Amino acid sequence: MTDGVDRAAAQAAGMDPDRLEALVDFLDHSYLASGRLPHMQLLVSRDEQPVVSLARGKARASGEPLRADALYRIASMTKPVTSVAFMMLVEAGKVALDTPVVAVIPEFADLRVGRANRARLARPMLMIDLLRHTSGLTYGLQRQTPIDARYRKLGLDDFQQPRTSDQFIADLASLPLEFSPGEQWNYSVATDVLGVVIERLEGCDLESVFRERIFAPLGMVDTTFALPDAKAERMTDAWRLDEKGERQVADLGARSGWRRQGRFLSGGGGLVSGVADYHRFARMLLRGGELDGVRLLRADTVAQMRSNQLPGGGDLASLSSAMFSEADYQDVGFGLGFAMGLAKGPGRGEYYWGGVFSTYFWIDPAERLIGIFMTQLLPSSAYPVRAQLRAGVTNALVRRG
């Protein structure tokens, strides 16, 4: 191991250790030494064997170094977990992709479209619309329309909400959709709605479903909605960039809002997790739904999830008018829980997602690569580190799959 890069493991995996070390040096110089990021943790594996494993920087403003077992607010990296839980119910025959959402969420029976909240839906909202973000719902963080302004006023994006899941649905149902389901792509609270669907179908809270169906079987011991007191010292601070582009603490690890169990469990962004846990989740996906003899999903279900499901086989550039990160939408598809590359060449078929605190993961099934990147800086659009990570790791491939 040389300063985060396991040279012997990299060579055995068909990767250039010098290029991996150059990537680590670039990250150190461009993001840590420059002060752009407070800390970073990176795990890259090929054939499930780590070739890069590093934890750098300060976990908290008070100066504690980042620990290898640090815990992070993974925000929208919660979405793939919720999507897997839902697809498990599809396999069990409890629901289908073409089930109308109103069959489980009757509060949506009278939804309307557009600012005036009058136009009727051209077709019903389906479960697949929640998974692929073609539901017509939105996020207040979009800051694009009068409708998302009403989301902000109601606090529908908030990580810790005073409302229950039923109250969340009731408030959503009082607002119009941005467009009729299936007509466009818009990143939204759809996965939060999917979480409520799971709760209603299973008759219990989302934490219980995740723990019993996913976390316990996979050995994900540190992933939860509420940070236990016994693990509080492992929680990092989170920062945000202010109007001047300077970092300010947004949430203290020692007194984090995630130490309190909210009334509403956000399937779209509520989880706390760590690199080791999320790597196990990613390994399950890479292996087609199974890990260590435990199968969560069939291989064909995982293949469906990581295939482009956008209407007409389009990409985000052709179906979306809103941006949410630094990502380029050209040749980017969206499946059932994550985005994927559609362009020919390196990166085609990779699937990935990230969180608003700049966390990120990607899986390349052809190269059997997994990357997990953790830091805690709002917003995720601040720097192009995600694209740089993927490019650097791809550039280190010597033997291709």
Side-chain angles (χ1 to χ4, degrees):
M1 180 75 72
T2 303
D3 202 26
V5 176
D6 189 326
R7 295 185 63 88
Q11 289 174 330
M15 303 188 74
D16 186 332
D18 292 333
R19 291 182 179 179
L20 290 174
E21 287 179 355
L23 172 62
V24 171
D25 289 343
F26 166 77
L27 294 171
D28 274 340
H29 176 76
S30 296
Y31 289 102
L32 286 188
S34 68
R36 294 165 100 185
L37 292 179
H39 55 249
M40 63 179 182
Q41 189 169 358
L42 174 64
L43 175 63
V44 178
S45 67
R46 194 175 197 194
D47 291 318
E48 304 177 56
Q49 299 303 309
V51 295
V52 179
S53 183
L54 60 88
R56 307 273 175 84
K58 304 299 184 184
R60 295 181 173 179
S62 47
E64 295 93 327
L66 187 69
R67 298 167 45 153
D69 64 351
L71 296 175
Y72 305 87
R73 308 149 191 83
I74 64 170
S76 288
M77 280 170 62
T78 304
K79 288 180 170 68
V81 179
T82 304
S83 301
V84 164
F86 179 82
M87 294 307 292
M88 293 174 75
L89 299 183
V90 171
E91 286 193 355
K94 296 183 177 182
V95 67
L97 293 177
D98 61 357
T99 298
V101 174
V102 71
V104 183
I105 310 287
E107 295 95 325
F108 281 8
D110 199 34
L111 285 177
R112 295 291 193 270
V113 177
R115 182 175 177 179
N117 203 8
R118 291 179 182 173
R120 292 190 176 275
L121 279 58
R123 71 149 171 83
M125 184 191 299
L126 306 178
M127 295 298 177
I128 192 172
D129 292 313
L130 298 178
L131 286 151
R132 67 186 183 184
H133 293 285
T134 55
S135 65
L137 297 164
T138 191
Y139 262 134
L141 61 82
Q142 296 280 10
R143 297 184 179 274
Q144 299 277 322
T145 71
I147 296 175
D148 64 47
R150 293 167 72 179
Y151 274 58
R152 289 195 299 278
K153 185 176 180 180
L154 288 174
L156 291 170
D157 295 7
D158 294 350
F159 291 112
Q160 277 83 36
Q161 299 194 19
R163 52 173 64 87
T164 64
S165 58
D166 288 347
Q167 291 167 340
F168 174 79
I169 292 297
D171 285 340
L172 265 187
S174 73
L175 301 177
L177 300 178
E178 293 279 9
F179 50 83
S180 195
E183 292 182 351
Q184 297 180 46
W185 186 91
N186 190 51
Y187 196 44
S188 74
V189 299
T191 318
D192 288 299
V193 176
L194 197 69
V196 179
V197 168
I198 293 168
E199 289 185 334
R200 292 187 179 183
L201 287 172
E202 292 297 89
C204 61
D205 65 86
L206 203 56
E207 173 91 58
S208 298
V209 176
F210 284 178
R211 184 176 59 251
E212 295 169 14
R213 302 290 183 85
I214 299 174
F215 300 155
L218 293 184
M220 295 172 65
V221 296
D222 289 326
T223 306
T224 183
F225 281 102
L227 178 70
D229 289 343
K231 298 180 180 181
E233 76 280 359
R234 295 163 56 190
M235 185 71 152
T236 65
D237 286 355
W239 285 260
R240 70 168 65 245
L241 294 182
D242 63 18
E243 295 78 7
K244 299 178 181 179
E246 297 178 354
R247 281 197 287 113
Q248 304 291 336
V249 174
D251 184 60
L252 290 169
R255 298 195 300 273
S256 175
W258 276 259
R259 294 186 70 173
R260 299 182 296 275
Q261 179 72 66
R263 298 179 72 195
F264 175 68
L265 301 179
S266 169
L271 288 175
V272 169
S273 190
V275 166
D277 267 20
Y278 215 88
H279 188 238
R280 291 191 64 79
F281 180 72
R283 286 175 60 205
M284 177 274 296
L285 292 171
L286 179 66
R287 293 166 64 96
E290 174 273 334
L291 182 65
D292 294 342
V294 175
R295 180 163 292 282
L296 270 60
L297 292 170
R298 298 193 307 262
D300 63 317
T301 298
V302 175
Q304 183 182 26
M305 294 180 72
R306 62 179 177 84
S307 299
N308 186 26
Q309 300 289 335
L310 293 178
D315 64 4
L316 298 189
S318 65
L319 288 164
S320 176
S321 59
M323 295 290 285
F324 65 91
S325 75
E326 86 289 353
D328 184 357
Y329 282 6
Q330 193 72 39
D331 293 322
V332 175
F334 207 90
L336 305 178
F338 10 70
M340 70 283 304
L342 301 178
K344 294 181 179 179
R348 181 178 177 86
E350 282 183 350
Y351 54 106
Y352 54 88
W353 206 240
V356 73
F357 291 101
S358 302
T359 60
Y360 186 63
F361 84 99
W362 78 99
I363 301 172
D364 186 331
E367 300 296 347
R368 299 191 58 75
L369 273 170
I370 295 171
I372 312 286
F373 180 75
M374 298 288 195
T375 189
Q376 297 280 264
L377 178 71
L378 287 160
S380 59
S381 57
Y383 307 118
V385 62
R386 296 168 172 176
Q388 292 165 340
L389 277 167
R390 286 166 61 193
V393 171
T394 299
N395 186 52
L397 287 171
V398 176
R399 185 183 73 242
R400 294 191 174 272

